[in-house]
Amino acid sequence: MTAAPAAGLLDAAITGALVLASALTLLCGYRIVRGPTVPDRVVALDTIGTNVVAIGVLVALSTDRSLFVSVALVLTIIGFISTVAVARYVIEGDIIQ
Amino acid sequence: MTLTPLAADAVASLAVTPLTAAESAASTGPLALARTLVTVALLIVGSFFLTIGTVGLLRLPDVYNRLHATSKATTLGAASVFLAGFVHFGPGGTGLTSTIGIVFLFITAPTGAHMISRSAQRMGVPFFGTTAWPDDAED
């Protein structure tokens, strides 16, 4: 019974962080559209990937389903691999040689 | 056919989200209260760093400055959110997954930022202002 306001606080914090992370993910789209160079767009996509990782962990906290933490971990790995692939592609012209 | 009850279960679990979180936090005593407060503090820190990273991505003038903002601030933000997941779920299986996520973020984010900045420099993306690469400054 004493933990009831704390639980309400946790729900409010999770909801606020979800809304904030979603808004930040949307704002990163500006840099993808208007970025003057290709590395700008890669940086913006990497930031979107990190924000979506945070959203995954927040969804896991919100629904109490530990499955989404694994989803966030896999998204981290995919984001790193795609960043390295694009960074190699823009200077080498191909990825696997 | 087998997917339909699973999807219905997922939708029902999403619909009763505040109830489940409240039940899990109110299950035990003052330890649960401390855990909830630590989770909230880590979520606030993570949201702050995510905001700083995105503001730096939008406002800084150069791709290298933007990398400086996002690769540090966003990594700390996502790692704080992972740490909040570790505190909330406990040191069991899911908390271990969160720890692996933190370690992986701290290894891969500087590596990816370094590769992007190196490829940007090889592409010839100019620096902001009068900054020059050391080899070019000697010429």
Side-chain angles (χ1 to χ4, degrees):
Chain A
M1 302 311 158
T2 57
L9 182 67
L10 179 63
D11 282 332
I14 290 172
T15 308
L18 267 175
V19 171
L20 183 67
S22 308
L24 292 177
T25 307
L26 203 58
L27 281 175
C28 287
Y30 173 78
R31 186 53 68 196
I32 293 180
V33 174
R34 289 293 304 274
T37 62
V38 174
D40 282 314
R41 297 186 169 95
V42 179
V43 173
L45 282 170
D46 198 22
T47 310
I48 282 183
T50 316
N51 283 338
V52 172
V53 165
I55 287 174
V57 180
L58 286 170
V59 168
L61 286 176
S62 171
T63 62
D64 259 347
R65 294 207 157 199
S66 55
L67 164 74
F68 292 105
V69 178
S70 305
V71 172
L73 181 61
V74 172
L75 276 174
T76 311
I77 298 171
I78 289 175
F80 172 66
I81 290 175
S82 58
T83 301
V84 170
V86 176
R88 280 190 64 84
Y89 176 73
V90 296
I91 54 172
E92 306 271 343
D94 56 353
I95 300 168
I96 301 169
Q97 54 192 5
Chain B
M1 184 118 181
T2 51
L3 265 181
T4 310
L6 199 63
D9 183 31
V11 168
S13 131
L14 283 177
V16 294
T17 290
L19 197 65
T20 35
E23 277 175 356
S24 78
S27 56
T28 45
L31 191 63
L33 179 66
R35 197 176 63 188
T36 305
L37 291 181
V38 170
T39 307
V40 169
L42 283 171
L43 283 181
I44 290 172
V45 170
S47 305
F48 172 74
F49 276 114
L50 285 178
T51 312
I52 291 298
T54 305
V55 168
L57 174 73
L58 291 181
R59 292 289 297 165
L60 288 177
D62 195 357
V63 62
Y64 308 102
N65 296 334
R66 287 166 195 151
L67 267 171
H68 163 78
T70 60
S71 70
K72 281 193 271 290
T74 318
T75 303
L76 280 179
S80 292
V81 177
F82 263 125
L83 204 57
F86 174 74
V87 171
H88 184 264
F89 287 111
T94 308
L96 202 61
T97 310
S98 301
T99 313
I100 291 173
I102 292 171
V103 171
F104 201 82
L105 267 179
F106 269 81
I107 291 175
T108 60
T111 312
H114 176 78
M115 291 200 68
I116 296 174
S117 65
R118 197 184 60 174
S119 60
Q121 195 262 335
R122 283 195 190 172
M123 278 178 67
V125 176
F127 291 105
F128 175 72
T130 59
T131 314
W133 197 252
D135 293 338
D136 299 338
E138 290 175 359
D139 297 337

